[in-house]
Amino acid sequence: MKKPKITVIGSINMDLVTSTDKFPEQGETIRGTQFQTSPGGKGANQAVAAARLGANVNMIGLVGEDSFGEQLLTNLHNEDVDVTNVAKQKGTSTGLANIVLSEKDNRIIIIGGANEYVIPSYLEKCKEAIIESDYVLLQFEIPKQTIEYCLEICAEHHIPVIVNPAPAMKLSKKAWKQATYITPNETEKKQLFQNQLDERFIITEGKQGVSYMEDNQPKHVAAHDVEVLDTTGAGDTFNGALAVALAEGRSVTDAIIFANGAAALSVQKIGAQSGMPTKEQVFNFLHKD
């Protein structure tokens, strides 16, 4: 099977991850149990997920002129992600995510840094890579106008797009209509779409699984019963895997089953990218019985 070409346009962050036995209350100081830095950013996470699952992945984004930026570029290169369209933005820091892990959940604060400079004029320089893609994958850690501009390009050239609306941000009605698939979690669905549901929506519901529509009928894929250590990269793994499966020509149901299995594997390790599986690992997991 020919490797699908997937372009990911989005954030590239360094994750600063603190683990604790409980989340602190307002004004409370507590002791943490572990600290580590790890590559992250929803864009970079989804790019790594898709690359590990066998796609040819082109990343479009920016890092700062600092040590974190160098580390993140090296990491993407080592993950076989094409970084031709990742540049260093002068005078700003690389994006950061401060992540607190506790009670099998997470709380995250994002600092945009260089990601805020991924603007339409920068996207224009990378247009050729976009229009050569089998699928484009977008998230909301870059400016709104860039997301809407990308959707315009893809609509003009008939390139299918998965829009992962995280963190939640409103787009124009025209932009939403240009998305091929929209993949909110439960919270994002309530904030952005309320009771709206059509066959473009694929809703991730954590331990409840995934809901979607097919042939005008509601469908559901149950979550796998696994030991959860870190949910940070689960949604990004799901979206990267979904893009790969759809780009390979699988049905929506088969693509969701594949992505759901990949996400289940990802939550069993600490770190957004460290638990992302290979295609062989997902296949073995889904056929273990």
Side-chain angles (χ1 to χ4, degrees):
M1 180 184 294
K2 181 183 176 183
K3 283 188 173 186
K5 293 181 180 180
I6 294 173
T7 294
V8 181
I9 304 163
S11 58
I12 305 170
N13 292 338
M14 184 62 81
D15 290 349
L16 312 179
V17 185
T18 301
S19 298
T20 73
D21 291 330
K22 74 181 191 75
F23 290 116
E25 300 294 334
Q26 182 74 32
E28 181 184 17
T29 299
I30 63 173
R31 290 184 180 273
T33 58
Q34 186 178 357
F35 173 80
Q36 67 183 52
T37 60
S38 62
K42 286 187 172 297
N45 290 346
Q46 293 178 16
V48 169
R52 288 193 186 173
L53 293 166
N56 286 324
V57 181
N58 172 56
M59 180 78 210
I60 298 177
L62 290 167
V63 296
E65 287 188 317
D66 52 25
S67 60
F68 284 158
E70 289 286 353
Q71 292 173 45
L72 293 170
L73 281 170
T74 299
N75 177 70
L76 287 169
H77 177 76
N78 291 341
E79 292 285 355
D80 292 325
V81 175
D82 187 339
V83 293
T84 303
N85 293 303
V86 179
K88 296 179 181 179
Q89 179 65 35
K90 293 182 178 180
T92 191
S93 68
T94 295
L96 295 175
N98 286 286
I99 301 170
V100 180
L101 301 179
S102 189
E103 303 166 30
K104 297 183 179 181
D105 208 342
N106 61 64
R107 295 179 182 180
I108 304 173
I109 301 173
I110 300 292
I111 296 97
N115 299 310
E116 300 296 335
Y117 294 85
V118 184
I119 57 177
S121 59
Y122 184 73
L123 216 61
E124 184 65 27
K125 299 175 184 177
C126 311
K127 189 173 180 179
E128 185 176 344
I130 296 171
I131 63 179
E132 290 178 349
S133 306
D134 294 319
Y135 254 86
V136 167
L137 193 48
L138 290 166
Q139 331 74 34
F140 285 5
E141 291 179 345
I142 56 174
K144 173 182 177 179
Q145 63 266 32
T146 308
I147 295 161
E148 294 186 342
Y149 181 63
C150 180
L151 285 164
E152 286 277 0
I153 293 172
C154 292
E156 179 182 350
H157 294 276
H158 308 289
I159 308 298
V161 188
I162 297 172
V163 176
N164 177 219
M169 177 171 63
K170 292 183 179 180
L171 299 181
S172 67
K173 289 183 179 179
K174 180 182 179 182
W176 287 124
K177 289 179 180 179
Q178 290 171 330
T180 310
Y181 293 103
I182 304 169
T183 58
N185 62 22
E186 290 177 288
T187 301
E188 293 148 3
K189 169 70 166 60
K190 291 176 183 177
Q191 290 175 334
L192 295 173
F193 308 109
Q194 298 179 351
N195 295 323
Q196 181 181 352
L197 186 64
D198 59 43
E199 295 196 359
R200 297 177 306 142
F201 284 89
I202 298 171
I203 304 161
T204 56
E205 300 170 341
K207 61 184 179 181
Q208 301 303 317
V210 184
S211 293
Y212 64 108
M213 297 280 288
E214 188 174 47
D215 298 326
N216 293 318
Q217 296 296 319
K219 302 282 186 176
H220 186 263
V221 173
H224 295 275
D225 185 13
V226 297
E227 182 181 3
V228 178
L229 293 182
D230 182 7
T231 61
T232 306
D236 295 331
T237 302
F238 180 91
N239 279 276
L242 183 71
V244 172
L246 290 171
E248 288 177 344
R250 303 193 201 193
S251 70
V252 174
T253 295
D254 285 348
I256 290 172
I257 290 170
F258 178 76
N260 192 46
L265 286 170
S266 76
V267 301
Q268 297 179 62
K269 292 184 179 180
I270 299 291
Q273 294 179 16
S274 60
M276 290 178 171
T278 64
K279 181 175 288 188
E280 182 181 11
Q281 287 171 330
V282 177
F283 180 85
N284 291 339
F285 176 74
L286 292 175
H287 296 87
K288 61 184 178 182
D289 297 329

